């Protein structure tokens, strides 16, 4: 196949059956196949990758993807590269709010240096008392520095507008626990996507995956990926020394601890434990931290 010699750069917007659609700097989309020598590298192109490619000049107009440019980060599940922002869709009902899972998701994003926004969904299913009980939790995460969008009606226009205000010039993933309502959220943000949604399994209080393929869609000045939801997050690449650094409220107090490198567990003179006793650190967050540390200690070292 003949190709132009001119090398262009762009971002992969779709990967399907060995073909890669690339959005170039001129805004045009080009279909390519990977050059043979790319298969010998350890990196596989994924949606979101910034790449160098050539444009086809024959009847099929197929170009070649030449190489992957340096990555900012890459998610394995779902496979998306160079993510700037993650909307963590978290149900407060059906399934019930799971703060441990939310903290796992936030930890995983922090490791990848991805900015999170927490979007609380299904809030319209709460009773008045349940809505009131949710407010200290919202305030706690906001005090840490996490933006939280929690509309009284799940997909209120003002909430959608506030969310889209964060998208400009960013690659955004919308992710979260299975059946949290992330596909429904994307349908409200961009109705033309018509993403599949299913009814929740009331017997198991969880659902099945409905999103199968990753694509990038232009939205509010950015690019948004529809990604598979998940009900568990694997933290097996995070060791016990990294964990305290990935909790922003712990990292902010670390220099006040008596011992450098304090793990905030049994050490005397720990500023984090003092803040916990004073009620300025969320008890649920610290309990999750203890659990994650126990999991890290039990994990077999990698060689």
């Amino acid at each position: 196949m003949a190709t132009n010699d001119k090398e262009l750069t762009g971002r992969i917007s779709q990967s399907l059956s060995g073909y890669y659609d690339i959005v170039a700097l001129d805004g045009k989309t080009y279909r390519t196949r990977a050059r043979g020598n790319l298969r010998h590298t350890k990196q596989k192109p994924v949606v979101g990758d910034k790449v160098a490619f050539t444009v086809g000049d024959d009847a099929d107009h197929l170009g070649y993807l030449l190489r992957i440019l340096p990555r900012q980060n890459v998610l394995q599940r779902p496979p998306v590269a160079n993510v700037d922002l993650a909307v963590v869709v978290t149900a407060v009902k059906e399934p019930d709010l799971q703060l441990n899972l939310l903290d796992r998701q936030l930890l995983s994003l922090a490791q990848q240096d991805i900015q999170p926004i927490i979007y609380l969904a299904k809030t319209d299913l709460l009773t008045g008392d349940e809505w009131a009980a949710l407010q200290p939790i919202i305030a706690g995460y906001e005090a840490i520095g996490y933006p939280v969008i929690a509309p009284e009606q799940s997909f209120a226009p003002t909430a959608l507008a506030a969310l889209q205000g964060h998208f400009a010039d960013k690659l955004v993933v919308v992710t979260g626990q299975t059946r949290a309502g992330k596909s429904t959220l994307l349908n409200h943000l961009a109705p033309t996507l018509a993403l599949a949604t299913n009814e929740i399994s009331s017997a198991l209080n969880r659902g099945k995956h409905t999103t199968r393929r990753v694509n990038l869609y232009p939205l509010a000045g950015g690019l948004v990926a529809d990604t598979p939801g998940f009900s568990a997050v694997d933290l097996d690449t995070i060791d016990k020394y990294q964990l305290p650094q990935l909790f922003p409220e712990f990292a902010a107090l670390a220099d006040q601890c008596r011992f450098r490198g304090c793990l905030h567990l049994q050490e005397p003179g720990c500023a984090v434990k003092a803040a916990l006793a004073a009620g300025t650190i969320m008890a649920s967050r610290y309990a999750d931290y203890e659990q994650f540390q126990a999991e890290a200690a039990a994990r077999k070292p990698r060689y």
Side-chain angles (χ1 to χ4, degrees), residues 1-5 35 54-64:
M1 178 182 297
T3 60
N4 288 323
D5 292 331
R35 180 76 77 176
T54 58
V55 178
D57 58 7
D58 63 3
D60 293 329
H61 300 293
L62 282 174
Y64 278 119

Side-chain angles (χ1 to χ4, degrees), residues 14 51 63 77 84 95 97 100 109 111 115 127 129 132 143 175-176 181 190-191 205 224 240 244 270 274 276 303:
Q14 180 177 235
V51 297
R77 183 171 176 255
D84 301 301
L97 178 61
N100 182 278
L109 294 171
Q111 186 189 30
Q115 177 190 348
T127 65
D129 289 343
T175 189
N205 199 30
V224 179
K240 64 179 182 180
C270 174
L276 175 67
Y303 298 102

Side-chain angles (χ1 to χ4, degrees), residues 106-114 234-235 237-238 242 246:
L106 295 174
L107 203 65
S108 179
L109 294 171
Q111 186 189 30
Q112 294 274 12
D113 196 25
I114 298 172
D234 186 2
L235 302 179
T237 62
I238 302 177
Q242 291 175 301
L246 299 178

Side-chain angles (χ1 to χ4, degrees), residues 204-225:
L204 298 178
N205 199 30
R206 59 182 175 85
K208 297 180 179 180
H209 299 299
T210 58
T211 308
R212 301 299 182 190
R213 193 176 67 189
V214 180
N215 294 288
L216 297 184
Y217 303 95
L219 185 63
L223 291 170
V224 179

Side-chain angles (χ1 to χ4, degrees), residues 2-244:
T3 60
N4 288 323
D5 292 331
K6 183 179 179 182
E7 188 174 297
L8 302 175
T9 58
R11 188 194 294 267
I12 298 175
S13 62
Q14 180 177 235
S15 171
L16 182 63
S17 302
Y19 294 95
Y20 301 93
D21 288 349
I22 300 172
V23 179
L25 297 178
D26 60 8
K28 295 181 181 179
T29 299
Y30 300 89
R31 178 151 293 184
T32 67
R33 299 197 73 167
R35 180 76 77 176
N37 61 358
L38 192 62
R39 290 193 293 269
H40 300 301
T41 69
K42 293 183 179 181
Q43 287 186 326
K44 180 181 179 181
V46 298
V47 166
D49 266 328
K50 297 176 182 178
V51 297
F53 70 101
T54 58
V55 178
D57 58 7
D58 63 3
D60 293 329
H61 300 293
L62 282 174
Y64 278 119
L65 195 165
L66 303 176
R67 64 184 181 279
I68 301 170
L69 302 180
R71 287 169 168 167
Q72 171 186 331
N73 52 49
V74 60
L75 303 180
Q76 300 299 324
R77 183 171 176 255
V80 185
N82 300 309
V83 177
D84 301 301
L85 180 70
V87 181
V88 185
V89 185
T90 303
V92 296
K93 276 275 197 177
E94 298 183 10
D96 293 338
L97 178 61
Q98 301 176 47
L99 294 181
N100 182 278
L101 176 56
L102 173 59
D103 286 338
R104 287 180 185 273
Q105 294 164 342
L106 295 174
L107 203 65
S108 179
L109 294 171
Q111 186 189 30
Q112 294 274 12
D113 196 25
I114 298 172
Q115 177 190 348
I117 295 179
I118 301 169
Y119 192 102
L120 297 182
K122 304 188 180 182
T123 46
D124 49 304
L125 300 180
L126 295 176
T127 65
D129 289 343
E130 289 171 333
W131 173 253
L134 183 62
Q135 300 314 300
I137 296 173
I138 295 172
Y141 280 97
E142 288 179 331
I144 296 168
Y146 295 116
V148 181
I149 297 178
E152 290 193 52
Q153 295 296 318
S154 290
F155 306 110
T158 53
L160 300 179
L163 183 58
Q164 291 187 56
H166 295 273
F167 288 1
D169 302 319
K170 291 182 172 61
L171 195 161
V172 183
V173 294
V174 177
T175 189
Q177 68 195 111
T178 304
R179 302 310 311 146
K182 69 178 186 55
S183 290
T184 305
L185 172 61
L186 276 168
N187 284 336
H188 280 83
L189 290 168
T192 56
L193 297 184
L195 299 170
T197 57
N198 291 330
E199 292 297 325
I200 190 168
S201 169
S202 57
L204 298 178
N205 199 30
R206 59 182 175 85
K208 297 180 179 180
H209 299 299
T210 58
T211 308
R212 301 299 182 190
R213 193 176 67 189
V214 180
N215 294 288
L216 297 184
Y217 303 95
L219 185 63
L223 291 170
V224 179
D226 176 38
T227 65
F230 49 81
S231 56
V233 181
D234 186 2
L235 302 179
D236 64 357
T237 62
I238 302 177
D239 64 34
K240 64 179 182 180
Y241 301 106
Q242 291 175 301
L243 273 167

